């Protein structure tokens, strides 16, 4: 997403229901995922989701929306390490 040469920031929101489902917006990329940890890239930092039986139910690169199910134990943000590409960029090199 660019406008006049500048990257547009996506609004980042999340809605968690009963620690079982999580709907997010403003996701730029999925860095890594397994049943215990999902690492997502947002404009405001890397979001690390930990839990059990985590499954990504849907992800749209165009809209930046992602839905996730499983038992969610924690959410934490970290600064983005700009040296690494995302999961899909590493996959298609």
């Amino acid at each position: 997403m660019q406008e006049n040469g500048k990257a547009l920031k996506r609004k980042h929101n999340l809605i968690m229901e009963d620690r079982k489902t999580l709907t997010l917006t403003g996701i730029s990329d999925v860095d890594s995922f397994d049943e215990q940890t999902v690492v997502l890239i947002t404009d405001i930092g890397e979001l690390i989701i930990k839990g059990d039986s985590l499954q990504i139910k849907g992800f749209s690169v165009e809209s930046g929306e992602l839905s996730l199910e499983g038992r969610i134990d924690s959410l934490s943000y970290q600064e983005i390490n700009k040296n690494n590409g995302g999961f899909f960029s590493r996959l298609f090199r």
Side-chain angles (χ1 to χ4, degrees):
M1 276 192 193
Q2 292 195 3
E3 184 177 288
N4 298 332
K6 291 184 178 180
L8 294 176
K9 287 193 173 192
R10 298 180 186 190
K11 272 197 165 190
H12 176 61
N13 295 300
L14 56 91
I15 300 169
M16 185 171 11
E17 298 176 23
D18 297 326
R19 290 180 56 187
K20 294 179 184 172
T21 62
L22 185 62
T23 305
L24 303 114
T25 62
I27 305 302
S28 302
D29 199 2
V30 176
D31 191 48
S32 64
F33 63 92
D34 60 32
E35 288 190 347
Q36 286 79 36
T37 306
V38 177
V39 180
L40 306 173
I41 305 300
T42 73
D43 287 340
I44 60 172
E46 188 176 72
L47 174 59
I48 301 166
I49 303 164
K50 293 191 178 187
D52 192 38
S53 302
L54 298 176
Q55 297 178 345
I56 295 175
K57 291 299 183 179
F59 175 50
S60 170
V61 175
E62 292 81 27
S63 67
E65 295 179 12
L66 183 135
S67 60
L68 177 78
E69 289 184 352
R71 190 189 81 222
I72 300 162
D73 293 331
S74 71
L75 303 165
S76 64
Y77 288 91
Q78 295 184 357
E79 293 298 317
I80 297 174
N81 184 354
K82 301 222 183 229
N83 294 334
N84 294 335
F87 171 76
F88 293 111
S89 66
R90 288 192 308 271
L91 182 66
F92 295 114
R93 282 188 199 181

